[in-house]
Amino acid sequence: MHLALNEDQTQILDFIDSLTRPYATVPLHDTSFALTSDALDAELVEGGFLDVMAVEELGPVTAALVVERLARLPFAVEAAASSLVRPLIDPALPRPLCLVEEGQLRRPVRFLRPGATVVVVSKSGVRSFTAGQAQVRAAGDEVLYAYPVAYLTEVPGDARVHDVAADEILRAWRVALAAEAAGLLGAALQSVTTYVSERQQFGRPIATFQAIRHRLAEDQVATNGVYWMALRAAGSGDAGDAALAALHAQEAAKRVGYDYHQFLGAMGMTLEHPLHLWTYRLKFLTGELGGRGENALAAAAAIWG
């Protein structure tokens, strides 16, 4: 496994950093629970950043890098599914792309709105349809995820059937989940590190206390592990790697997210501080694809048959 980015990957990430600089901080006086930007989304599409997987010289690893970098933004961007899953189904599917497991209609769906493309994955196959007004129920204030979410009320009987294996879509979905979680964990770590370096107690920054430093070091190791496992899974195309990457991402999100909020005390639970924009998206991802239990079983099945 190559641990250094090539010239193309470095250049693409530099372009993304330049393009997203106006969106790298929370807008002044904005205390929204979830931040989105149609302008940012349009710029990413226009620049072709969500289609890099289709370029032979770039492929899925570069797509995973793009997803990870965009997940670091305080703005929630529908990039993971479009970048890593859509090319395997139909690159022409309209965005935003919403991934749904059959039988999970009670679970809120990220980025779901009328006009979105809903991809339903089941053991029997993969189907898609364009969500209509009657098929979308607003979530309102009943969910706390820092993503724009809604409920899918039904799957139409005339949904388009795709000639692609459901297992392959689940593999790519797990890679997308891990790559996005890596970015969210990285951004949350940076936010927390800044806070504990500035917040003083007993006349010195709390980051200088040994108990804080040891736990932050452990959290950084877990965060780095999610990043590298996501890239390995993207590069290998192996179902076992993908399941392990998703499992580790969900494990880390649960443990590390708890630490981050504890380090910030009550500040981490207020809308005035941006930490929730990453940790509450992580909270959603810990339940995706059946959660840690299902991904552990998927990893065991892929590795040991």
Side-chain angles (χ1 to χ4, degrees):
M1 178 178 177
H2 296 290
L3 300 182
L5 304 183
N6 61 38
E7 184 178 351
D8 288 336
Q9 291 167 338
T10 301
Q11 191 173 53
I12 287 173
L13 294 183
D14 286 344
F15 283 148
I16 288 178
D17 288 342
S18 177
L19 184 150
T20 60
R21 193 166 291 119
Y23 307 95
T25 57
V26 179
L28 191 64
H29 306 308
D30 193 326
T31 57
S32 304
F33 200 81
L35 293 179
T36 58
S37 172
D38 291 337
L40 170 60
D41 196 84
E43 290 185 70
L44 292 170
V45 171
E46 184 178 357
F49 293 109
L50 304 183
D51 299 315
V52 298
M53 182 170 160
V55 181
E56 185 176 355
E57 296 79 8
L58 301 176
V61 173
T62 306
L65 287 167
V66 169
V67 169
E68 190 273 344
R69 187 59 59 92
L70 292 176
R72 290 174 172 263
L73 298 173
F75 289 82
V77 181
E78 191 284 284
S82 287
S83 298
L84 288 160
V85 180
R86 184 177 61 159
L88 302 178
I89 303 173
D90 180 356
L93 286 177
R95 298 181 58 255
L97 205 70
C98 305
L99 302 177
V100 179
E101 286 185 278
E102 188 149 40
Q104 297 294 319
L105 296 186
R106 294 184 179 181
R107 177 175 166 79
V109 180
R110 292 186 289 160
F111 303 105
L112 178 62
R113 64 173 186 249
T117 298
V118 179
V119 175
V120 182
V121 185
S122 67
K123 293 181 179 179
S124 59
V126 179
R127 296 173 291 161
S128 72
F129 64 95
T130 301
Q133 190 73 46
Q135 294 157 334
V136 177
R137 178 170 67 84
D141 297 327
E142 62 189 82
V143 292
L144 303 174
Y145 290 123
Y147 280 115
V149 299
Y151 289 98
L152 183 65
T153 58
E154 63 174 353
V155 176
D158 60 348
R160 175 186 172 190
V161 178
H162 294 276
D163 185 19
V164 59
D167 286 346
E168 179 64 5
I169 299 305
L170 289 173
R171 180 200 60 77
W173 188 349
R174 291 186 173 102
V175 174
L177 184 155
E180 187 166 3
L184 295 172
L185 286 164
L189 175 63
Q190 184 176 24
S191 179
V192 169
T193 301
T194 300
Y195 179 85
V196 298
S197 298
E198 297 173 350
R199 174 77 163 88
Q200 293 203 2
Q201 190 70 30
F202 305 113
R204 57 181 174 140
I206 62 176
T208 62
F209 291 96
Q210 192 175 58
I212 298 292
R213 296 174 71 177
H214 283 179
R215 286 175 63 185
L216 270 176
E218 292 176 357
D219 293 339
Q220 182 174 25
V221 169
T223 296
N224 290 347
V226 174
Y227 174 85
W228 290 114
M229 290 182 73
L231 294 188
R232 175 182 172 84
S236 71
D238 181 74
D241 287 344
L244 284 172
L247 172 61
H248 182 56
Q250 291 175 328
E251 290 276 8
K254 184 175 179 62
R255 178 172 63 81
V256 171
Y258 175 85
D259 277 357
Y260 289 168
H261 279 280
Q262 189 174 42
F263 292 150
L264 267 68
M267 279 299 296
M269 301 301 291
T270 65
L271 296 183
E272 285 76 16
H273 193 280
L275 181 62
H276 70 280
L277 296 173
W278 299 291
T279 58
Y280 275 52
R281 279 188 265 167
L282 283 167
K283 181 182 177 183
F284 188 100
L285 294 184
T286 59
E288 199 157 81
L289 286 165
R292 293 173 293 166
E294 287 299 319
N295 283 309
L297 289 173
I303 296 170
W304 292 292

